[in-house]
Amino acid sequence: MHDGLMPNQKSFLPLNACESSEPASQNDSSCHEMTLWHVLIDQSQDGIVVLDSSGGVFESNKKFADMLGVSISELRQFSVWDWDAMFSREQLIDILDVVDASGMSLQSKHRRKDGSVFDVEMTITGTVYRGRKLIFSICRDISDRKQLERDLLEREERFRQLSIVDELTGLYNSRHFYDQLEMETNRTNRHQQPLSLILLDIDDFKQFNDRYGHLEGDLVLARLGKVLSSCVRREDLAFRYGGEEFTILLPGTNRDGSSVLAEKIRTAFQAEKFIVHGHPERSMTVSVGVAEYRFGEQMKSFVGRADQAMYRAKGQGKNCVCTEI
């Protein structure tokens, strides 16, 4: 990596047709040709740089030099790898070697003199001029277009997240749960690795809602979402299953390991304190069921066993963890 553009040791000056040793009539024709050449490239709205086969600058218009923040005389001291910030020197040499009259189009990143980088789209063509291979490159700054593309991708990702994330708790929603459950059970069947499911339900949540109102109930749901997020591992997936029910998928974890996490969640949530104006501080609890996947079983059966374990926890007085029988 260069800290801004670094000059090459060689200077590749353009051939000057007007200083040719050819007869006058031929020299006049060459001068006219060269003058027309400069007029055409200087009036281009795109940056144009002509390289020789070794990567040095044979000619350039001011537009291209301005894109890099240098003068044309400075630019002639550089080779293409001094400003290209995407391809390696070896890759650039290969491109210069293979490009011919049929040309090619590619995108890259160019580095300005101040070290900043911008996106560029190039059309390059190889030709032979007076026995010397030259590479004619038309360069267009597409930074604005690439930024629009990145913004669009970010918006699409946000919309995608909104479609699979529960807004209140910040956890994945039930729609995404079934997508992930299918993927994880398929993976488990292929690799014969453990997979467990935790299903939990907030105890007496309806009574809490009826007494304190839905806004306070939403705060309880949101707080449980934070507890789950803080307790699960990076590879675990936590979901708001529906209402006051939540699920956690634990890839690579057996029933015993999942039971440990379930107990950690239960005690962490019980430690949370809820203050409703005009009422004494109180705690909330959850009943938790744990099941381990049986290779080849249907997803409905797997979820059903975790659900049954959770209802046993309810039947045993709530605020506890039960595993499948």
Side-chain angles (χ1 to χ4, degrees):
M1 293 293 292
H2 298 287
D3 184 13
L5 294 174
M6 296 296 292
N8 188 12
Q9 295 300 312
K10 294 183 179 181
S11 175
F12 296 97
L13 298 177
L15 296 176
N16 191 332
C18 297
E19 296 177 359
S20 171
S21 59
E22 296 174 350
S25 60
Q26 295 183 14
N27 192 38
D28 289 344
S29 175
S30 296
C31 277
H32 177 73
E33 178 184 317
M34 188 60 71
T35 300
L36 180 61
W37 160 279
H38 280 286
V39 169
L40 289 174
I41 69 170
D42 285 338
Q43 289 185 350
S44 172
Q45 296 301 306
D46 294 318
I48 296 177
V49 61
V50 184
L51 305 172
D52 62 23
S53 58
S54 65
V57 176
F58 175 78
E59 189 56 275
S60 168
N61 66 354
K62 188 174 184 302
K63 175 70 174 180
F64 185 74
D66 289 344
M67 289 168 68
L68 298 183
V70 298
S71 66
I72 291 180
S73 61
E74 285 180 292
L75 184 60
R76 286 175 181 158
Q77 306 301 312
F78 295 93
S79 294
V80 59
W81 39 81
D82 291 319
W83 68 73
D84 194 283
M86 182 170 154
F87 295 102
S88 69
R89 179 171 179 156
E90 291 72 21
Q91 289 173 319
L92 291 167
I93 289 173
D94 288 341
I95 292 171
L96 297 177
D97 184 54
V98 301
V99 66
D100 56 21
S102 62
M104 65 172 67
S105 297
L106 64 159
Q107 293 183 5
S108 186
K109 293 180 181 293
H110 283 177
R111 185 185 299 106
R112 299 184 182 93
K113 184 178 182 178
D114 63 9
S116 60
V117 174
F118 61 99
D119 296 290
V120 64
E121 185 175 65
M122 297 180 293
T123 301
I124 60 176
T125 306
T127 188
V128 176
Y129 178 70
R130 297 186 177 183
R132 184 181 187 183
K133 182 176 181 180
L134 298 178
I135 297 87
F136 190 85
S137 178
I138 301 175
C139 305
R140 179 169 296 176
D141 185 341
I142 57 170
S143 298
D144 290 343
R145 190 180 85 192
K146 297 299 270 188
Q147 186 58 52
L148 286 174
E149 291 175 0
R150 287 189 287 269
D151 291 344
L152 178 60
L153 288 174
E154 288 177 5
R155 286 197 295 271
E156 289 176 348
E157 177 60 20
R158 285 199 297 270
F159 290 143
R160 189 189 73 83
Q161 286 293 330
L162 287 173
S163 71
I164 64 174
V165 172
D166 176 65
E167 184 176 1
L168 179 61
T169 63
L171 305 179
Y172 292 120
N173 58 27
S174 58
R175 171 187 172 184
H176 193 52
F177 168 70
Y178 284 104
D179 290 340
Q180 292 299 118
L181 179 62
E182 181 178 15
M183 185 177 73
E184 293 299 338
T185 53
N186 288 338
R187 185 184 316 183
T188 296
N189 285 323
R190 284 198 308 272
H191 301 293
Q192 300 290 291
Q193 294 178 340
L195 171 68
S196 293
L197 176 65
I198 294 174
L199 197 152
L200 55 98
D201 182 89
I202 302 176
D203 297 324
D204 303 317
F205 185 72
K206 184 179 184 303
Q207 293 90 321
F208 183 93
N209 255 349
D210 291 343
R211 182 176 182 182
Y212 302 117
H214 290 287
L215 289 178
E216 296 297 333
D218 285 349
L219 293 177
V220 173
L221 294 170
R223 190 85 66 85
L224 179 53
K226 290 182 179 179
V227 169
L228 294 181
S229 296
S230 67
C231 289
V232 298
R233 305 166 303 173
R234 179 175 297 181
E235 58 268 33
D236 300 331
L237 299 166
F239 308 82
R240 184 183 178 191
Y241 190 54
E244 65 271 27
E245 285 190 331
F246 294 76
T247 61
I248 305 169
L249 273 172
L250 297 97
T253 307
N254 60 22
R255 183 177 60 183
D256 292 340
S258 297
S259 297
V260 171
L261 176 61
E263 182 62 24
K264 177 181 177 181
I265 291 170
R266 186 195 68 78
T267 56
F269 186 62
Q270 186 180 17
E272 296 287 319
K273 302 302 179 183
F274 297 92
I275 301 174
V276 182
H277 182 68
H279 299 273
E281 180 182 82
R282 61 167 297 171
S283 300
M284 297 291 288
T285 61
V286 289
S287 296
V288 190
V290 177
E292 182 175 349
Y293 182 71
R294 296 168 183 168
F295 300 135
E297 79 171 314
Q298 297 295 311
M299 294 188 298
K300 183 178 180 180
S301 170
F302 182 33
V303 175
R305 289 189 294 106
D307 192 51
Q308 291 171 9
M310 185 268 291
Y311 275 104
R312 283 204 311 279
K314 293 281 190 187
Q316 291 179 16
K318 305 174 184 178
N319 189 28
C320 64
V321 175
C322 284
T323 59
E324 59 183 332
I325 297 175

